[in-house]
Amino acid sequence: KSNLRISRLREPRETTELRKPVLKKPSRRALLWLSIFVLILLGGFLLLGRFSKAEVTISFKKIPWQYQGEFLGKVSVSAPVVNSQGSVLPAEILTEKKNLSQAFPASGRENVKEKAAGRLLIYNAYSSASQTLVAETRFVTPDGKIYRLIKSVSIPGAEVKEGKIIPSTLETDVIADKAGPEYNSGPVARLNIPGFKGSPKFDGFYSSLIKASGGFIGEKAVPTEKDITLAKEKTTEILKASLKSDLTSNRPKDIKILEEASEIKTTKLTVNQRTDEKGNFTVFGEAEFKAVGFKELDLKSTLLNFAQKDNPGTTFNELDLAYKQVKADLGKGELRFSLISSGTLTQDFSADNFKQQIRGRKIRDVKSMVLSLPGLSGAKVSVWPSWVKKLPQNPKKIKITVN
């Protein structure tokens, strides 16, 4: 017998090995890029927060307002008052003077004899005492021509230093003793005073002729009466226009001058009928502007006090003023006028002060503060970027618009 062992072959068992998942560590490069991304994102938020800005739009109710009344301006008052005389304002007297010389063509012709006129420089080399010379005092040139003083003058005393006399001088007007072109001359180095001849003053007082001109004998242009009348009128017009122009540009900007409370007077008109080589004569004119004015700011302050009695805490949004029945007494420095005023009142509000109150505050707190403002009719608060929860700390980044 053969030994035959038969054994059953067993099928292999299936086995499943359970293992804990192993997380793969991110590479250093990935961590670096992630860090950079987080820093950029954080930096962006911080940067946007730093450059954030806000805008607050506020609208207040507008209240119509009107007033009519009488006002008195007085130079003796230093501040606006309301008393038994009514509303009184401080007033100021303003004055301005102007002079000019205008040339005009002469239309007439005549035979004339005219004396030369000139300028003389007189010396006092005599003593430290002054010397008076009366009008028409004669001065003689070396060739015998005589020029006379037009008006009396006083020559100042000479200066004496270390026993030496330093002459003093005085420049004045003279006119030739006779008519004719031969007196048109100058300069002449030395002229003496015949009246001092025979005394020590003859050598101590002398003069030099700077120039003399205008001496003439013959036919030339002369102004007619019509020429003179028109020239005076034109000079007056030019003076007034010039004064008004000066006042517009030079007068204090805060002073209100009503036309009815001012006047321009021509104080001097002098006609020189002697014509020049072009046939023109001249008119010298002088005028004075005088007015009583007041500060319109004082008037508006008084009106605001009236308005705030029924509307406390308000100020003028618009104000129109119409001046009527203006009367001025320039001698007393007083001004009276009737006033018709109309406008609108709105809540007195300082945007700069409000910025200081709301800067750096939470938006919800700012909205509450805006809504609590008196006289409010509408408002809006907006910020950028939109996720910012507070207003900027810097007031320059807050814009307030008041309607």
Side-chain angles (χ1 to χ4, degrees), residues 127-128 158-166:
S127 74
S128 59
E159 186 178 356
V160 180
K161 277 189 176 181
E162 298 178 356
K164 294 182 178 180
I165 294 179
I166 300 173

Side-chain angles (χ1 to χ4, degrees), residues 6-14:
I6 300 173
S7 60
R8 182 177 293 180
L9 296 174
R10 295 180 180 180
E11 295 181 357
R13 293 180 181 180
E14 293 183 359

Side-chain angles (χ1 to χ4, degrees), residues 220-283:
K220 67 181 300 188
V222 294
T224 64
E225 288 299 322
K226 184 177 181 181
D227 292 338
I228 294 172
T229 300
L230 293 175
K232 286 182 176 181
E233 292 175 356
K234 186 64 176 178
T235 302
T236 301
E237 290 176 10
I238 295 172
L239 272 171
K240 289 183 177 181
S242 182
L243 271 173
K244 287 181 179 179
S245 176
D246 288 350
L247 287 163
T248 301
S249 57
N250 299 331
R251 71 177 174 85
K253 302 299 181 184
D254 59 341
I255 298 296
K256 180 71 175 180
I257 299 177
L258 302 176
E259 187 174 354
E260 300 90 338
S262 65
E263 65 177 16
I264 297 177
K265 285 185 176 180
T266 303
T267 56
K268 190 174 185 179
L269 279 176
T270 304
V271 181
N272 180 4
Q273 298 189 37
R274 296 180 63 168
T275 55
D276 58 20
E277 63 277 3
K278 295 181 180 179
N280 293 327
F281 69 101
T282 58
V283 178

